[in-house]
Amino acid sequence: PTHLSTALFRAAAMGDDKNKRSRKEERSRSRRRRKREEEEEEVDEEELKKREEQKKKKEEALRLREEQRLKDEEEQERQKLAENAKRMDRTVMIVGLSVRADERDVFEFFSGRAGTVKDVQIIRDARTGRSKGVAYVEFGTAEAMVKALGMTGQTIKGAKVTIQQSQIAEGSGRGT
């Protein structure tokens, strides 16, 4: 019996040693797992930071592109307004034009006497297409426009015309 109890005691002690080793290994594995998880969390945090930085850079680039686009649009609008103002400085309005006169008649009338004509617009009734007796003539230079103003009282197609400098009307492109 003592021999058996000693053997049992040794077996129990060995089992305890095994249990201790097993628990030690388990704790060691747990520590390694936690350490791995912490490292992964650090990597995840670093990755998140990198992604956030990339996102911020993209947003900033987008914002800068949008600002540049708006500046470009504003500049184009300023140039357009400046060009329209220059056009208006070279444009006259003809009043009292014969309804028989067409764009060619007006073009030929001014081409030989005032200077280079860039554009002729006769104002017509939208429904009937008949002339309303008003036309706009854009000249190549302001000097040609000044010469044209001096031609008031002459006749085009049998009608005495009044020529005046065109002015920008509120809310529309052309007018008096």
Side-chain angles (χ1 to χ4, degrees):
T2 37
H3 180 12
L4 189 57
S5 63
T6 308
L8 283 176
F9 179 74
R10 282 187 187 155
M14 283 179 88
D16 273 350
D17 276 352
K18 277 186 176 178
N19 282 341
K20 281 183 184 176
R21 274 188 300 216
S22 176
R23 276 184 265 148
K24 237 182 186 181
E25 287 173 4
E26 182 63 34
R27 281 194 303 267
S28 180
R29 279 194 298 258
S30 290
R31 279 190 215 113
R32 284 194 304 260
R33 188 180 70 242
R34 274 194 305 268
K35 188 174 181 178
R36 220 177 18 251
E37 287 172 355
E38 287 172 1
E39 288 172 354
E40 286 174 0
E41 284 178 13
E42 287 176 13
V43 169
D44 287 346
E45 286 177 21
E46 288 176 16
E47 184 65 29
L48 282 174
K49 285 180 184 177
K50 284 181 185 177
R51 286 181 184 170
E52 274 297 314
E53 288 175 17
Q54 289 173 346
K55 184 178 178 183
K56 285 180 182 178
K57 286 179 183 178
K58 284 181 182 179
E59 288 172 352
E60 180 67 13
L62 257 173
R63 187 185 63 77
L64 290 174
R65 276 198 304 266
E66 182 65 16
E67 282 180 9
Q68 186 61 43
R69 186 187 64 79
L70 289 173
K71 285 179 185 177
D72 291 346
E73 282 181 5
E74 288 173 1
E75 180 61 27
Q76 287 175 346
E77 185 65 25
R78 277 193 292 276
Q79 288 175 353
K80 186 177 176 183
L81 290 172
E83 179 59 31
N84 284 342
K86 288 177 186 176
R87 281 184 73 194
M88 295 309 291
D89 289 342
R90 299 186 316 254
T91 302
V92 295
M93 181 176 79
I94 304 166
V95 181
L97 190 63
S98 168
V99 293
R100 295 185 326 238
D102 62 9
E103 283 84 354
R104 182 178 300 199
D105 296 325
V106 175
F107 180 86
E108 290 173 355
F109 176 78
F110 285 108
S111 288
R113 299 178 182 139
T116 305
V117 176
K118 287 185 83 175
D119 188 28
V120 176
Q121 296 286 321
I122 294 179
I123 305 304
R124 300 181 183 282
D125 183 273
R127 198 168 38 89
T128 65
R130 285 185 50 140
S131 169
K132 290 188 174 185
V134 176
Y136 291 92
V137 179
E138 180 186 349
F139 292 94
T141 63
E143 293 81 18
M145 188 268 308
V146 172
K147 285 182 187 176
L149 290 173
M151 297 170 69
T152 292
Q154 295 188 22
T155 60
I156 301 175
K157 283 277 188 162
K160 194 179 268 192
V161 293
T162 302
I163 303 167
Q164 58 192 29
Q165 188 170 3
S166 182
Q167 299 171 356
I168 298 174
E170 291 290 323
S172 67
R174 291 188 167 170
T176 58

